[in-house]
Amino acid sequence: MSRSYYIAGNWKMHKTRAEAAELAKALVSQLKDGKHKYLVAPAFTSLETVAAVVKGTNIRLGAQNMAAEEQGAHTGEVSVLQLKDLGVQTVILGHSERRHVYKEDDELVNKKVKLALRHGLEVILCVGETLEERDAGKAESVCETQTVKGLLGVAAGDLARVVIAYEPVWAIGTGKTATPEDADAIHAYIRKVVGKLYGEDAARKIIIQYGGSVKPDNAAQLMAKENIDGALVGGAALKADSFVPIAKFA
Ligand code: 13P
């Protein structure tokens, strides 16, 4: 496979600065000979601390969200300019918790995607169906809509800075993982959607991560699939003992 693997840790709303620094230091030392692309996404409050630890290493710094506007009267929001100022290189957008708990819709996610790309950031665009949607046979169409609407107006030249993360909502934090076969089928479908929008070459190159209860004991089987190019890890990303084996899956 010509695509490289990309393993990302989404720390969600966990860790104080001291805890974040400790984890980041452990990852820096244990992943320095790692062969894949790596990212950690701490909470906003730990970004500056973790930035100092991962700077100049093979671990990228990511944020978990950002505002759809560059700046202004948006109480409680964090701007792309502020993230860049801290050394953030990548931003996770459209995470299912943002979509389902905080009611972000495709239009808002798309606005954020375009703003992040305009400012030179890499974007991890999350898509994925709920259990109800899967049971109704709508997994593909939901992922297609979220992909198409999320990428609306994104220029072909910017697509190299877009990663898609397929995170079935029913598999997040539940211990239920999509089977490698089921996940691969959706990844293949998303790749086809990207192909329809941007052509075969772009579809071949785009990195599609899987997220949802990725653990040390299922990572290798997932990564072995043709269309699975990495992982977006939640719970297991909170400890070096579980993230490192995923990041170094054999
Ligand atoms: P879990 O790995 O805890 O299921 O979380 C996945 C996720 O939401 C990563 O963004």
Side-chain angles (χ1 to χ4, degrees):
M1 189 181 71
S2 60
R3 297 179 294 273
S4 52
Y5 286 105
Y6 189 178
I7 314 290
N10 173 8
W11 296 357
K12 304 192 181 183
M13 199 174 70
H14 294 285
K15 299 198 182 287
T16 61
R17 286 174 300 163
E19 291 164 347
E22 188 187 330
L23 175 58
K25 280 179 197 159
L27 296 180
V28 164
S29 93
Q30 293 177 52
L31 291 180
K32 62 177 184 294
D33 57 347
K35 294 179 176 51
H36 310 306
K37 182 174 172 181
Y38 302 121
L39 171 127
V40 291
F44 291 132
T45 51
S46 296
L47 281 171
E48 188 168 14
T49 303
V50 173
V53 179
V54 300
K55 194 173 178 180
T57 73
N58 61 345
I59 303 177
R60 298 173 67 86
L61 183 66
Q64 301 170 16
N65 185 25
M66 63 171 227
E69 305 293 334
E70 218 162 72
Q71 56 189 318
H74 295 281
T75 303
E77 292 289 307
V78 176
S79 143
V80 63
L81 302 174
Q82 295 164 331
L83 295 181
K84 281 184 27 168
D85 185 43
L86 292 175
V88 167
Q89 299 157 293
T90 303
V91 61
I92 298 170
L93 294 173
H95 190 277
S96 76
E97 287 143 22
R98 300 302 321 169
R99 292 179 188 268
H100 295 286
V101 185
Y102 297 100
K103 307 297 174 206
E104 294 196 7
D105 61 15
D106 287 316
E107 287 68 31
L108 183 69
V109 173
N110 175 247
K111 217 172 154 188
K112 295 181 179 192
V113 167
K114 286 188 291 191
L115 183 63
L117 291 172
R118 178 143 46 84
H119 281 277
L121 292 182
E122 176 183 77
V123 166
I124 298 178
L125 170 64
C126 303
V127 304
E129 82 285 359
T130 62
L131 187 57
E132 201 180 13
E133 290 163 339
R134 170 156 285 256
D135 288 346
K138 292 184 187 157
E140 289 185 348
S141 68
V142 168
C143 292
E144 176 163 11
T145 301
Q146 291 178 350
T147 302
V148 171
K149 291 192 170 176
L151 295 176
L152 201 71
V154 170
D158 285 338
L159 199 71
R161 278 185 290 120
V162 176
V163 170
I164 295 179
Y166 169 57
E167 298 205 311
V169 180
W170 48 272
I172 296 177
T174 57
K176 286 184 199 148
T177 322
T179 65
E181 291 69 31
D182 285 348
D184 190 58
I186 299 288
H187 283 229
Y189 188 79
I190 293 169
R191 203 176 292 290
K192 213 167 73 186
V193 170
V194 171
K196 269 193 274 179
L197 296 172
Y198 294 96
E200 288 303 306
D201 192 46
R204 221 177 5 254
K205 286 183 183 151
I206 195 159
I207 292 176
I208 308 179
Q209 296 171 327
Y210 170 78
S213 299
V214 176
K215 307 288 177 208
D217 63 2
N218 60 22
Q221 293 98 291
L222 287 160
M223 298 309 130
K225 289 292 171 193
E226 172 67 24
N227 289 288
I228 302 181
D229 311 319
L232 182 53
V233 186
L238 295 174
K239 288 202 169 93
D241 283 356
S242 41
F243 189 68
V244 170
I246 295 172
K248 290 187 165 177
F249 72 90

